[in-house]
Amino acid sequence: MFKDKKVVFSGVQPSGVLTLGNYLGAIKNFAAFSDEYKCYYCVVDEHAITVRQNPAELRRRTYETLALYIACGLDPEKNTLFVQSHVSAHAELGWILDCYTMFGELSRMTQFKDKSQKNADNINAGLFTYPALMAADILLYQTELVPVGVDQKQHLELARNVAERFNSVYSDTFVVPEPYIPTETAKIMSLAEPSKKMSKSDENENAVIRILDPRDVIIKKFKRAVTDSGCEVRRAEGKEGISNLMSIYSAFTGKSDDEITSEFDGRGYGDFKLAVGEVCADALAPVQAEFARLTSDKAYLESIMAHGAEDAARSAARTMSKVRRKIGFIEPKRV
């Protein structure tokens, strides 16, 4: 059924409750690819352990991330949903691509520098080399299109470089992927520090809207959002907080900047913040209800994991057979 379809791949770490940035910048857009592409959406638990995790919490969040995929609109009948560690080819190809990724390339990754500062007592090798594993995640499925936030574009460029390098040595082996970055919602910013991306690891709870936050919490956080000393709702330099809120409001309502500015002309920031909070809470309510239903049925989620991993493994095996042969490994024989 998927023979003639191009491939989309993306993954989310189960390292915390997903945020509004994850929803608007990534997951909400994923469902749009389902009819035209063969889509692989992965819970990247192997990436999560570059930072120390509580094992029980990691298992729980892995189930929850899969449930959120489905609750946000990803139909398991139309998309391959799976857990990264359930397909061993990710780790295998990750190591192989480590050997085709240059030290200098990895040392220039800005996320390694950022995470090293935040985890100074655990700057491990995986934290340094995980962009090569990310490249393996993508290249394993001969991916044409990768929905990414702008903060991940550097990693996708690395995946492209590695694919091109491998192809130049061994002839065409991997598809060289292209990024898909939605324009208005590519990067949702912190409500407390609008110059920073909204992050699920932010210690300031008022900075982050989480997909599972209750309605009153969502509205309260938007009311506390940092803006500027003015009162006019318009996008402009120096108005990063209001600009961020406008992006969020636009994503939920479909209204343009001019329409938003006209709607709140003379009404001030208080009315605008409340309106943003309400449309956000209204949009997330059905997601939260479906999430609650899904997480009450662990057996169903495990069946989705199993079927997804089986489908992903079949595709991965075709790539790995080609890779092993080209680099000189002996293909394992069944006995």
Side-chain angles (χ1 to χ4, degrees), residues 301-313:
L301 292 176
E302 289 176 342
S303 72
I304 297 300
M305 289 180 184
H307 285 104
E310 183 179 10
D311 184 25

Side-chain angles (χ1 to χ4, degrees), residues 171-192:
S171 76
D172 286 351
T173 307
F174 299 117
V175 170
V176 180
E178 296 289 341
Y180 171 79
I181 303 175
T183 53
E184 283 303 309
T185 56
K187 195 171 185 180
I188 300 300
M189 312 305 285
S190 161
L191 298 186

Side-chain angles (χ1 to χ4, degrees), residues 28-73:
K28 185 173 181 284
N29 302 301
F30 288 176
F33 297 107
S34 300
D35 291 328
E36 295 184 23
Y37 293 85
K38 168 59 177 169
C39 299
Y40 295 92
Y41 296 122
C42 183
V43 181
V44 288
D45 54 344
E46 291 175 352
H47 286 291
I49 64 169
T50 58
V51 176
R52 291 286 178 266
Q53 303 289 335
N54 177 290
E57 288 184 6
L58 180 59
R59 279 189 287 271
R60 174 178 56 79
R61 287 195 298 264
T62 299
Y63 282 104
E64 290 179 350
T65 303
L66 181 69
L68 278 172
Y69 271 151
I70 302 169
C72 290

Side-chain angles (χ1 to χ4, degrees), residues 13 38 72 86 100 103 134 144 187 237-238 249 257 276 287 290 294 306 323:
Q13 286 193 37
K38 168 59 177 169
C72 290
H86 291 180
Y100 294 85
F103 183 89
M134 185 180 293
E144 277 97 347
K187 195 171 185 180
E237 187 175 346
Y249 192 69
D257 284 354
V276 180
V287 174
E290 179 66 358
L294 290 164
V323 169

Side-chain angles (χ1 to χ4, degrees), residues 29-272:
N29 302 301
F30 288 176
F33 297 107
S34 300
D35 291 328
E36 295 184 23
Y37 293 85
K38 168 59 177 169
C39 299
Y40 295 92
Y41 296 122
C42 183
V43 181
V44 288
D45 54 344
E46 291 175 352
H47 286 291
I49 64 169
T50 58
V51 176
R52 291 286 178 266
Q53 303 289 335
N54 177 290
E57 288 184 6
L58 180 59
R59 279 189 287 271
R60 174 178 56 79
R61 287 195 298 264
T62 299
Y63 282 104
E64 290 179 350
T65 303
L66 181 69
L68 278 172
Y69 271 151
I70 302 169
C72 290
L74 295 183
D75 183 348
E77 296 298 319
K78 294 182 177 181
N79 304 276
T80 299
L81 309 178
F82 67 105
V83 177
Q84 182 185 26
S85 64
H86 291 180
V87 180
S88 60
H90 284 262
E92 182 182 1
L93 184 58
W95 166 249
I96 291 171
L97 295 187
D98 272 343
C99 301
Y100 294 85
T101 306
M102 300 299 105
F103 183 89
E105 290 175 313
L106 294 173
S107 66
R108 290 191 291 272
M109 296 291 106
T110 56
Q111 286 216 348
F112 170 70
K113 298 171 186 176
D114 293 343
K115 289 193 174 185
S116 295
Q117 291 176 351
K118 293 177 182 177
N119 301 279
D121 59 340
N122 182 30
I123 305 176
N124 57 73
L127 195 63
F128 185 67
T129 64
Y130 89 92
L133 177 58
M134 185 180 293
D137 299 335
I138 296 166
L139 302 180
L140 196 52
Y141 301 100
Q142 304 298 341
T143 302
E144 277 97 347
L145 197 64
V146 185
V148 291
V150 291
D151 59 310
Q152 291 290 341
K153 188 176 179 181
Q154 187 185 37
H155 289 156
L156 184 58
E157 286 298 325
L158 178 68
R160 288 172 54 84
N161 291 343
V162 172
E164 289 169 347
R165 181 176 299 129
F166 196 98
N167 289 349
S168 71
V169 174
Y170 298 107
S171 76
D172 286 351
T173 307
F174 299 117
V175 170
V176 180
E178 296 289 341
Y180 171 79
I181 303 175
T183 53
E184 283 303 309
T185 56
K187 195 171 185 180
I188 300 300
M189 312 305 285
S190 161
L191 298 186
E193 297 180 69
S195 61
K196 291 171 49 180
K197 187 190 77 164
M198 185 178 287
S199 170
K200 60 179 181 248
S201 62
D202 199 316
E203 294 180 359
N204 182 355
E205 278 298 312
N206 286 321
V208 183
I209 301 294
R210 303 189 189 279
I211 294 178
L212 300 179
D213 278 346
R215 180 183 183 84
D216 61 334
V217 172
I218 291 172
I219 292 173
K220 187 180 295 183
K221 287 181 178 181
F222 274 113
K223 285 181 175 180
R224 293 175 176 171
V226 170
T227 52
D228 54 86
S229 58
C231 60
E232 187 179 3
V233 177
R234 63 182 177 85
R235 193 183 295 274
E237 187 175 346
K239 296 173 74 70
E240 287 79 10
I242 284 295
S243 297
N244 185 42
L245 296 181
M246 289 178 71
S247 292
I248 295 169
Y249 192 69
S250 175
F252 286 122
T253 65
K255 294 180 179 180
S256 67
D257 284 354
D258 287 343
E259 289 172 325
I260 296 169
T261 297
S262 177
E263 180 182 356
F264 292 94
D265 183 30
R267 294 174 59 184
Y269 290 172
D271 282 356
F272 181 51

